[in-house]
Amino acid sequence: MYWLHVARKDFADAVRSKMFWALSAVMLILAYVGMYVPQAIDSDPSATDGVAVLTGVMTAVVPIIALIVGYMSIVGERQTGSLRMVLSLPLKRWEVLLGKLAGRTAVVVVPILLGFALAIPFVLLLYGSLPGSEYGEFVTTAVAVGAVFVAIAVGISGSVTSRGQALALVVGIYLLFESFWELIPLGLYYAANGELPADEIPTWMEAINRASPVQAVTAASEGLWNGISTSEPLVLQEWFAALIVVLWIAIPLGIGYLRFERADIS
């Protein structure tokens, strides 16, 4: 269980550097602003509208935060030389990777939980009630998105040898998933048919769209809170989305571990 020592140190360092408290403050401010927006723009606002606003904001912001928190987790210590000291202890490299994953995930997830828990009294004050299921589904989605992107960032950090490489990869990953992912099935459809889909998109296109980390997490969270849509095609059911989420965690970490294990830390 040596990886727990790595995780505790990583988390403690974040608390000491005030990163943890800064993230908690950001989450609380986002919760306040997001829940207040319907009050400012809608004649008949509801807490559910505020949750919808928050969902759109957080699925864009949380990946950025998670990638920033995780991308220097290993390569940063590799460049400063402190990783050699860590590996001189009775630690295997997989324990270092797992410890970094757990520590950085906590740095992202705990502020999300803390910020949105502290926002509940504000929601009750504004609207008089809290849509528990919708709010719980939103928080679950935000936490899972954060965990997935931390795993991707830690996997990248274990795979590369410099900060520049890690930064370039996380920027590319973010742009791919947030800006370009939906263009992939459109491009494939156009290449096969010479035109874009007119009305309903085929199941395979929708499946590719839902395979991005954010969309997969959103679908899996919906299934967790509202049940599985058994009438949908297999690849569009929520349990299949949950499997994709697991793959988005396991594959980057697996690649990161293999490259980190073989790396010459000198």
Side-chain angles (χ1 to χ4, degrees), residues 146-185:
V148 169
F149 277 90
V150 168
I152 292 172
V154 171
I156 288 172
S157 193
S159 300
V160 299
T161 59
S162 70
R163 178 183 182 274
Q165 291 175 338
L167 182 60
L169 283 172
V170 296
V171 170
I173 286 289
Y174 182 79
L175 291 175
L176 170 64
F177 291 139
E178 294 295 321
S179 302
F180 300 116
W181 186 266
E182 291 185 356
L183 298 178
I184 296 173

Side-chain angles (χ1 to χ4, degrees), residues 165-252:
Q165 291 175 338
L167 182 60
L169 283 172
V170 296
V171 170
I173 286 289
Y174 182 79
L175 291 175
L176 170 64
F177 291 139
E178 294 295 321
S179 302
F180 300 116
W181 186 266
E182 291 185 356
L183 298 178
I184 296 173
L186 284 174
L188 292 173
Y189 186 95
Y190 186 83
N193 299 280
E195 60 181 3
L196 295 176
D199 297 315
E200 293 186 8
I201 65 172
T203 298
W204 67 266
M205 287 185 64
E206 191 173 351
I208 293 176
N209 284 334
R210 288 180 56 156
S212 72
V214 170
Q215 292 299 321
V217 166
T218 301
S221 180
E222 184 178 349
L224 179 65
W225 284 88
N226 302 306
I228 304 298
S229 303
T230 54
S231 60
E232 294 285 347
L234 187 68
V235 293
L236 298 182
Q237 292 182 19
E238 290 80 3
W239 71 266
F240 193 84
L243 176 61
I244 293 174
V245 172
V246 172
L247 292 176
W248 277 124
I249 294 173
I251 292 174

Side-chain angles (χ1 to χ4, degrees), residues 32-152:
Y32 276 35
V33 173
M35 294 304 296
Y36 182 75
V37 165
Q39 291 276 353
I41 65 175
D42 198 337
S43 59
D44 186 23
S46 70
T48 303
D49 296 331
V51 173
V53 172
L54 279 177
T55 300
V57 171
M58 293 300 290
T59 51
V61 171
V62 170
I64 297 175
I65 293 173
L67 290 171
I68 291 173
V69 168
Y71 89 102
M72 286 290 283
S73 55
I74 294 176
V75 75
E77 294 194 7
R78 184 172 179 174
Q79 286 198 305
T80 61
S82 60
L83 186 58
R84 289 197 298 273
M85 295 178 58
V86 172
L87 293 176
S88 67
L89 301 172
L91 280 169
K92 293 182 172 58
R93 295 193 185 191
W94 70 263
E95 293 176 306
V96 174
L97 188 75
L98 182 58
K100 292 292 184 181
L101 172 67
R104 300 298 166 115
T105 300
V107 171
V108 173
V109 166
V110 175
I112 292 174
L113 295 173
L114 182 62
F116 289 104
L118 292 175
I120 290 176
F122 180 70
V123 177
L124 293 173
L125 181 65
L126 276 181
Y127 297 101
S129 63
L130 177 74
S133 179
E134 289 87 350
Y135 200 75
E137 182 181 337
F138 155 70
V139 173
T140 301
T141 300
V143 165
V145 167
V148 169
F149 277 90
V150 168
I152 292 172

